[in-house]
Every structure is written in C-alpha cells, then in structure tokens.
Amino acid sequence: EDFFRLVVNASTREKDLAWINQHAAGFQVAVQLREDLAILAVQGPQARSSVITLLASDQQEAADKLARFAALEVVDADGVELFLARTGYTGEDGFEILLPQTALIAFWEKLLAAGVKPAGLGARDTLRLEAGMNLYGQDMDETVTPYEAALGWTVSLDEGRDFIGRGALEAQKAAGVPTQLIGVVMDDKGVLRHGQTVLTANGQGDILSGTFSPTLGKAIAFARVPTGGPDPVRVDIRGREVPVRVVKFPFVREGA
C-alpha cells in the first residue's frame, strides 16, 4: 500500500538512482538504496521445486501457488526472511530471491546441496537470447525507443495515461519508426556475432546480440534493420554474404 520495490540493472544502478531521485524531488517520497539486500536468480524447469524444499514447511504451499509476475514474502527453514518473485527474467521459469546480504552465502550453499547448479553469464546470455529478451547496452539503451526494440507491447497510449516520454513516442509513431528489431537464424555453419553487417532490400543494419543456440544447434541473433519487409536477409561474415532466415522470436519457448 505504501511502497514500491524496484530491482534495477546492477551495472546501471547509479544513473538509475540519479534519474529516479531527479523525478522524485517533486513528490513526497523517499528513495532508499537497499544495500543490505542481495538477490539470487534460480531459474529452470526444477527451479521452483528446488527452492520450495528449502522453505519452512508452512510456507511451501503458498510459494508453490505463486502466480507468474507476482511476489511473496516467506521464510526459509532456518527462519531467514525471503522475498520471492516469479518474473522469469531469464526466459525460464523460477524464482528471483531477495534476501539479507548476511544470509546470502549460507542460502547459496543450501541451493548447491539441493542440486541447483551455478550458471555463468555465458549461459544466461544464450538463455535470454533464445527467449527473445533484449540485453541493455547491446540491444537497447536510452537512444532506442521501445518501438525500435520490439518492445512496443510495453507501451500504453490510452487516453489520459501520461508518462515521461509519451510525447516522443507519439511523435515517432506518427512519423514512422525508422528501424525494427528482427530475429534471424543461420542454417549454415558459423556463429552470428555483435557488429556484423546485415544486408536487406531496404538498406543495411547490424547484428546486435548473436550467439550459437545450444537448444537449436544453430546460430541465432537479434538484428536492427531499416523498417519494412526485411526478406531476403544476408549477413556479411568476413566478406562472405551468408543467407539467414527471419523468424518470429522467442526462438525457444519453455524448452521447445
């Protein structure tokens, strides 16, 4: 009723906090950085069941019933307070767990004992790309509008709904969005990588995020290209124009 909790990108937290404080100055609101908290993301097909076994017995049923994009405060079997969210921010289902910094290592070790395996940034990157999720700084930033990042579904221009940036988005929509984000799959051998040139009938674009998809066994990528029908599309790989297929992302949904 009286507060919001924001989980921001760790690498941009300083500028995020500065921006939030700038706009909060006109309101009766306090902005507090919670350096006493840490966060663990436990993601994957067995993630939720693995975490639930570590909770106090009288908390397990409520955690099991937690809906997508909802959150819940619980305690684990040792009485540690946990804030469970179920946003699936990597593209897989699971829990994002906020807990005291002082309890972080002990809870991590309990997860390992329960069979949860650590995953590095490389694994997370292939996972989020297969799920069709933008990476800040590579696929989008302050210079890219939601319409250019295939995130137009997050924008509501309903009458009477005001927000910072609405005027700019309305103007771009009226004038025509100049670029679009597309998903591509390469059937030839090789890997699609950030910075490669994309060739379309409407002009050149660039590969943004590109990787080899462990699930598909092929190279996949996001590309930003001029708006319009992008087919056929080719990618310049060391001077060789390689054809790629334009596909609707996510490339992988729930493992399929």
Side-chain angles (χ1 to χ4, degrees):
E1 292 293 327
D2 58 1
F3 78 96
F4 290 96
R5 172 172 284 161
L6 306 180
V7 180
V8 302
N9 187 324
S11 64
T12 62
R13 67 175 183 170
E14 290 185 0
K15 67 178 180 180
D16 287 343
L17 279 166
W19 187 89
I20 292 167
N21 275 305
Q22 173 191 343
H23 293 285
F27 300 88
Q28 288 185 310
V29 61
V31 181
Q32 181 183 4
L33 176 61
R34 295 294 304 273
E35 292 186 298
D36 58 312
L37 296 179
I39 185 167
L40 286 171
V42 188
Q43 311 278 283
Q46 285 83 47
R48 292 173 58 233
S49 59
S50 297
V51 172
I52 287 170
T53 62
L54 304 180
L55 303 182
S57 57
D58 62 347
Q59 309 276 294
Q60 294 182 4
E61 183 178 356
D64 188 46
K65 292 181 178 179
L66 185 65
R68 287 286 187 105
F69 308 112
L72 179 69
E73 292 181 324
V74 296
V75 296
D76 73 4
D78 295 321
V80 176
E81 294 183 355
L82 308 176
F83 182 91
L84 298 185
R86 193 182 168 200
T87 70
Y89 91 111
T90 62
E92 276 281 357
D93 196 8
F95 287 134
E96 299 80 46
I97 307 166
L98 279 79
L99 71 169
Q101 285 273 12
T102 54
L104 177 65
I105 294 174
F107 195 82
W108 171 270
E109 291 176 343
K110 285 186 281 188
L111 287 170
L112 295 181
V116 175
K117 295 185 183 299
L121 288 176
R124 190 197 63 172
D125 197 45
T126 56
L127 183 62
R128 67 92 193 166
L129 183 54
E130 287 184 343
M133 293 183 168
N134 280 251
L135 176 64
Y136 181 86
Q138 187 151 305
D139 305 319
M140 45 83 80
D141 57 23
E142 296 101 322
T143 68
V144 177
T145 72
Y147 299 133
E148 296 169 301
L151 293 172
W153 59 272
T154 68
V155 178
S156 173
L157 296 177
D158 292 347
E159 185 176 351
R161 184 181 178 87
D162 196 17
F163 55 88
I164 296 169
R166 175 171 180 142
L169 293 181
E170 287 180 322
Q172 186 180 70
K173 197 170 185 179
V177 181
T179 62
Q180 61 182 338
L181 185 74
I182 61 172
V184 297
V185 173
M186 185 170 70
D187 294 314
D188 287 10
K189 291 183 178 180
V191 180
L192 297 170
R193 300 190 186 281
H194 175 76
Q196 291 170 333
T197 299
V198 180
L199 308 169
T200 80
N202 295 312
Q204 291 189 1
D206 297 287
I207 295 292
L208 302 175
S209 288
T211 191
F212 181 81
S213 164
T215 305
L216 298 179
K218 297 180 178 181
I220 62 175
F222 281 152
R224 179 157 292 115
V225 298
T227 299
D231 288 326
V233 174
R234 305 175 311 284
V235 177
D236 186 333
I237 300 179
R238 294 187 294 277
R240 183 169 64 99
E241 294 184 7
V242 180
V244 293
R245 287 186 291 124
V246 178
V247 299
K248 184 177 180 180
F249 50 83
F251 302 94
V252 177
R253 186 187 297 275
E254 296 183 351

